[in-house]
Amino acid sequence: MKTFLTQDQLVEHLSRCNYPSKLKDSLQSSLLAVELIRNNVDNAIAALVLVESDEEMAFVMSKYNLADVLPDIDVTDTQNNVTWQKQVFISSDSGDGIALFKICHFEPFIRPVTGVCKTQSRVNNVSNRHTEAQQCPQVPQSRNEKEI
């Protein structure tokens, strides 16, 4: 679990990580909101928290008393075989809250599968049937440790 209160802290962390650009942008924009609240509201409670496991997620939910609170924002996104969940919990009218990101990495060995898909085309009212090899997307799946 990592907690960030300033852009400098986040930039230093991101320089050591190979996160996708979309995730980096989302982290930075969320931290801008955190800094805005912390700089303009006395005694504000605001932070960006980054977790990488269910255990860390449970700890954060307990630490910030979020277990029975629904997030104001709950988005899951994927880029470059990395999926993350962004949840924003706003706990007061003054903007107190937590931006919580859970990072889920997929196995690096997963590759797209090439399949054979049939297509049909018509040229001058004559039917030409043929097959082409096309890239078919594969949904990334993580392996269960018990299977290994």
Side-chain angles (χ1 to χ4, degrees), residues 65-119:
N65 298 317
L66 302 174
D68 295 328
V69 179
L70 292 175
D72 293 279
I73 297 172
D74 190 2
V75 178
T76 301
D77 206 346
T78 300
Q79 185 182 20
N80 299 344
N81 288 335
V82 178
T83 296
W84 63 92
Q85 179 181 18
K86 173 184 177 180
Q87 294 181 314
V88 176
F89 298 88
I90 300 172
S91 57
S92 77
D93 290 340
S94 62
D96 288 351
I98 303 298
L100 177 60
F101 283 78
K102 181 178 179 192
I103 310 299
C104 307
H105 296 276
F106 289 114
E107 299 294 330
F109 61 82
I110 294 177
R111 304 274 189 265
V113 175
T114 301
V116 176
C117 303
K118 291 185 178 182
T119 60

Side-chain angles (χ1 to χ4, degrees), residues 126-137:
V126 176
S127 179
N128 291 328
R129 293 179 188 233
H130 62 280
T131 60
E132 300 178 352
Q134 297 179 349
Q135 278 308 97
C136 296

